[in-house]
Amino acid sequence: MKIARLMLLVLSLVLVPNGIYKSLATRPSVVNIGSILRFNSTIGGVSLVAIRAALEDINSDSTILNGTTLRVDMKDTNCDDGFLGMIEALQFMETDVIAIIGPQCSTIAHIISFVANELQVPLMSFASDATLSSIQFPFFVRTCPSDLYQMNAVAAIVDYYRWKLVTAIYLDDDYGRNGIAALDDALTLRRCKISYKVGFPSNAKKSDFINLLVSVSYMESRVIILHTGAGPGFKIFSLANQLNMMGNGYVWIATDWLSAHLDANSSVPAETIYGMQGVLTLRSHIPNSKMKSNLISKWSRVSKMYNYSDLRTSSYGFYVYDSVWAVARALDAFFDDGGKISFSNDSRLRDETGGTLHLEAMSIFDMGDSLLEKIKKVNFTGVSGQVQFNAAGDLIHPAYDVINIIGNGMRTVGYWSNYSRLLSTVLPEVLYSKPPNSSLANQHLYDVIWPGETAQKPRGWVFPSNAKELKIGVPNRFSFKEFVTKDNVTGSMKGYCIDVFTQALALLPYPVTYKFVPFGSGTENPHYDKLVQMVEDNAFDAAIGDIAITMGRTLITDFTQPFIESGLVILAPVKKHITNSWAFLQPFTLQMWCVTGLFFLIVGVVVWVLEHRINDEFRGTPREQIMTIFWFSFSTLFFAHRENTMSTLGRVVLIIWLFVVLIIQSSYTASLTSILTVQQLDTSIRGIDDLKSSDYPIGFQVGSFSEDYMVKELNISRSRLIALGSPEEYADALKRGPKKGGVSAIVDERPYVELFLSTYCKIAVAGSDFTSRGWGFAFPRDSPLQVDLSTAILSLSENGELQRIHDKWLRTGECTDDTTQFVDSNQLRLESFWGLFLICGVACVIALLIYLVTIIRKYQRHEHPEEPMAPQGPRRHSIRRFISFLRNFFSFLDGKEPVKKKRSLSLSRGSMPTMPVSSNLAALDIERPVRPARNGNAIDIEN
C-alpha cells in the first residue's frame, strides 16, 4: 500500500506541470479583501448587496481561484462627518487585506488613497471625484466613470441647446467642488461658462436652502446644474417647486446621483417625482446583456438576505459587482505567477503616545505592486460591460444615458459617450464598432419635456429683475449725425442706430433698464476701437451705434446680427457729360478725328492707284474716279464697299485697313455708350489696385477702422493717409486734388458714402466694395442679451421695420448741385491708336513702292527702243523730252493694262459667236489653218 502511494506521488510529479503544481501548492485557502461603505446610504446599500452577490458567484465558480475562498471584511463609515469617517477608515486599515473595495465618499477616498500607497494595497474605488487619479495615488483604481466624463456630458447638453450661461449648485466638499471645477473646464472648451456658483455645507438647514434658491432666482441664468447627494438634492427640488422655480423658463440638470437613487429605490414618494417634472439627469450607461439580466433576477433574493429588500440594483451596483470580479481574476493570475500573500511591518508606523489608532498594526502588502499590475491588466466582459483599464487607471469607453423625468418615471432621450464625445440616439456599444465621428452635425437627442410641461426649449436665461441699470456707450458723432448723435437741446441720443436698438429691445419678452452714455466730445468723431475696448474692460455694459464688425473687435466682444451691411469703398471725383446734339463727337479728340479722316482718304487713294490699270471699277472719267475714291474709302467704315480688289497689293492694304477700322469702330461705340450712360471718373483711380499702386494721398474718416485696414491689410504707408472729419472736408479735399493739397480718393464705409453722395454729385464710387462687413451692437463675451437682440434684429428685418427706420433717417434724394462740365479725361486719343495707324501707313508705303517698281519695268518693256540719241541740244530740248516722258508715263499709268494673249481657244456651244469664222479668227488674232494641196502647193481654207 505504501508502495502504491509512493508511485502515485511520483506519477503526479511527472504528469503535473511545474507551474500549475507550484500554483496549487502556494494558493491560500482563504483570501481577505476589505470594503469601506456607508451602509445607511442608497449607494452603500446597493454596493453591499452587489459585493455579496459577487462573492457567491465567485466562490461557487470552480474555474476561478481554484479552490481559494474569497472573503470580504466590510467597514461602515460616516461620510457626513469627514473626521470620524477618516478615523474609522484608518482603523480598518489595521486589518491585513490585499485589496479594498471603496470607499464611496471622495473625502475618505483621498485619505485612504494615501494609506493605500503606503501599505501597497490596491484601492478599487467607485468615488467619482475627478481629482483622484493614479498619478498622485498609484494604487488608486477607479471602477466607475470619473466626474471628468460626466461633466463633459453635461457641458455637451448645455452646448447642444445653445445655452451660454449656467448656475451651479453643489455640495461644498471634495466631491462637489471638484465636480463643479471639472464642469467649468468642460464648459469653457465650448465657450460657455458658469455665471453663478453657490455651495452649501453637508449640515445645511432648510433656511439655508431657501436663501440659496432665492439668490439663484435673482440671477439671469435659468439653466441650473445640481451636483449634490440624494438627501439635499430632494430638499432643493421640493423647495424650488414651492418657490415656482420648476416652471416655464427653467432648466434643471442633475448629475447621476438622481438616477442612481431613483433606480435603486422603489419607494420614492409620488409627490417627489411629480415635483421634478422635466428635470434632466445622467446615468452611467450599462449595456443590456444576459449577465446583467441574471444579476437582476437574483438581486431580490440576495437583498432580502442582508435586509436591503427595498433596494433595487443601479449602475453603481453593477460597477461594484464587477470590481469584486476584477480582484478575483487578478488574484487568479497573481497566484498563477507564484504570488504569495505576506505582510511586513513598517518601522515608521508607531503610535508613541499610546493612542487607539495602533498604527504599528498596519502592515505592508509585500507583493501589492504585483497584484496592482494584474488588476490593471484584467480584460473581461462583466455586467457593466467591458471591464478594462487605461493607463490612467480609468475604465475605457465611459458613457452616459441622458434621462428625462416624465410622469412617474424616467425616459431615455439619448446617450453621450467619450468615444465620440457627442450626444446621440444611437447606443454607445453600436458606435464602438464604427470609426469615431466627432462632427457636431451628428448630434441628436429625442424631444424633451421641460419644466412647466412644455416641449419648447427654454431660453435658458432672463433679464434679472434686480439687475442694475445697463450702462451703454454711444458714440457722440460730429459728422453724419443721421446715424447717431447727442441732441444738444434734450441731451438724449438720437439717430438711425438708436431707433434700431430701441425697436429691437421692444421685441424682447422681458424689460431691460438702461441708460445711454455719450462717448466722445462731439467736436470730432470718436475712435470706435476705444469704445469697444471699454466694453471689454467692463466700463460699459454694451456699445451701440455705427460700429463696424471687424476681426479685431470680435476677439474681445460679441456682436449682434448686423443691422446694416457695410463695406469699404473708394470715393473719387467725377464730371458729367453734357448730352447735347453733338455728343456723338465726344468719344474722339479733334486730333483723333483728323487723323482718322486723313487715313480714310490715304487708303482710298492707295487702293485706287493699285487697282486703276487692271480694275474697270476704278476707271472712268476723272469725276467718276474721284467719287470712287471717296465712296470706297468711307464705305469701308461700315464694311459696305462694293468695289472688288483684283491686285494682291490692293487686297493686302485693304485687309489691314479693315482691321484698323474694326478697332476704331468698336472703341468709338464703347466710348459713346459710356459717355451717354455713365459718369466718368476724373482721376486715375479705378479700384483698390490703382489705390495701392499710386503715390497720391488718400482720405479717411476720423475714428474709422479704415485707417488701420489700409495700413495693415493693404500695406499703404500711413504718411499717405489724411484724416477728414466731415462731408464738407470730403468734398473740399477731392475738389482740390492731390496737387493742391487735397486727396485723390477717400476710403470710407458704404452707409456714409451713400449719405454723402445724396448731396455731392461730382463724386462717385470707384470700383466695388473691397470688404464685406456690417454694423452691429457690441456686448461682453457670452452675453445672452446679444443672442436675443440678434433674434430681434432679424425680426425687424423680416417685418420691414428695419427698412422704415432706414428711410426715416437715411433717405437719399437727388443731388442739388446742377453744375455740369465737360470731361475729356476718358476721350479716345491718338496715342491709343498710333500703332494701328503706323502699321497701316507702312503697309501703304511698301505697297506703293512695290507697285512703282513693277510699273516702271512694264513701261520699259512697253516702249520701243529709239534711235541713237543725237548730241544734246539746248537745255530746252531736254526739258521738252522730260515732259514728253512724263506725259507718256502717266498716259501709260492711266491706260488699261491689256489682257494677256492665250495660245489655245476653247469655245462651247452655248457661247458660239454669230460672226463669220474668218472674222472671229481675225478678231482673236489666230492664224487660219492651211491645208496642203495635192500637188504640194498650199491652199488657204476660206469660208
Side-chain angles (χ1 to χ4, degrees), residues 168-172 197-201 212:
I169 302 176
Y170 61 95
L171 179 62
D172 194 7
K197 292 187 289 188
V198 54
F200 60 88
L212 180 150

Side-chain angles (χ1 to χ4, degrees), residues 307-571:
N307 298 322
Y308 286 100
S309 57
D310 59 338
L311 287 182
R312 298 173 299 185
T313 186
S314 67
S315 57
Y316 281 96
F318 296 128
Y319 285 122
V320 173
Y321 180 88
D322 283 343
S323 299
V324 181
W325 268 95
V327 173
R329 291 179 179 274
L331 277 172
D332 192 41
F334 173 77
F335 291 142
D336 284 344
D337 286 348
K340 296 181 180 181
I341 305 297
S342 63
F343 297 89
S344 60
N345 293 325
D346 189 348
S347 60
R348 295 174 298 173
L349 298 176
R350 290 289 184 269
D351 192 0
E352 300 294 344
T353 61
T356 59
L357 287 180
H358 301 292
L359 297 179
E360 69 278 1
M362 296 183 183
S363 302
I364 297 175
F365 180 22
D366 294 329
M367 300 190 70
D369 53 350
S370 179
L371 179 59
L372 176 65
E373 181 181 356
K374 299 301 180 183
I375 291 175
K376 290 186 174 182
K377 289 183 177 180
V378 295
N379 186 357
F380 66 96
T381 302
V383 294
S384 63
Q386 187 68 22
V387 180
Q388 184 180 356
F389 300 100
N390 57 22
D394 291 330
L395 290 172
I396 64 171
H397 299 326
Y400 288 90
D401 301 340
V402 182
I403 307 296
N404 187 203
I405 307 297
I406 302 175
N408 59 354
M410 299 183 290
R411 170 175 171 260
T412 301
V413 296
Y415 309 94
W416 180 92
S417 68
N418 189 58
Y419 180 74
S420 65
R421 298 180 182 272
L422 297 177
L423 296 167
S424 175
T425 55
V426 180
L427 289 170
E429 52 267 27
V430 176
L431 296 178
Y432 298 154
S433 61
K434 303 177 182 178
N437 188 344
S438 59
S439 174
L440 294 178
N442 296 328
Q443 287 204 128
H444 181 65
L445 290 177
Y446 293 120
D447 292 337
V448 173
I449 302 300
W450 303 100
E453 298 183 356
T454 177
Q456 184 178 3
K457 185 199 78 170
R459 180 194 310 275
W461 85 287
V462 295
F463 200 80
S465 57
N466 66 336
K468 65 178 182 179
E469 188 178 52
L470 293 182
K471 206 163 64 169
I472 300 177
V474 183
N476 186 14
R477 294 191 58 87
F478 171 70
S479 61
F480 298 107
K481 295 185 177 182
E482 292 84 352
F483 293 104
V484 60
T485 191
K486 181 180 179 180
D487 190 336
N488 294 326
V489 177
T490 63
S492 61
M493 306 301 295
K494 64 178 183 179
Y496 167 73
C497 300
I498 300 297
D499 281 5
V500 172
F501 178 74
T502 54
Q503 289 295 325
L505 281 184
L507 296 179
L508 299 183
Y510 48 84
V512 178
T513 57
Y514 62 90
K515 66 175 180 179
F516 291 137
V517 180
F519 176 74
S521 61
T523 58
E524 65 176 4
N525 296 331
H527 289 274
Y528 284 47
D529 286 340
K530 296 180 180 178
L531 174 60
V532 175
Q533 183 63 44
M534 293 184 70
V535 176
E536 201 270 339
D537 295 338
N538 294 323
F540 290 134
D541 297 312
I544 70 168
D546 48 338
I547 306 173
I549 304 174
T550 65
M551 179 62 70
R553 295 170 184 172
T554 57
L555 294 177
I556 59 176
T557 58
D558 284 345
F559 280 87
T560 62
Q561 173 78 17
F563 56 86
I564 189 172
E565 292 193 9
S566 174
L568 291 179
V569 295
I570 302 174
L571 278 175

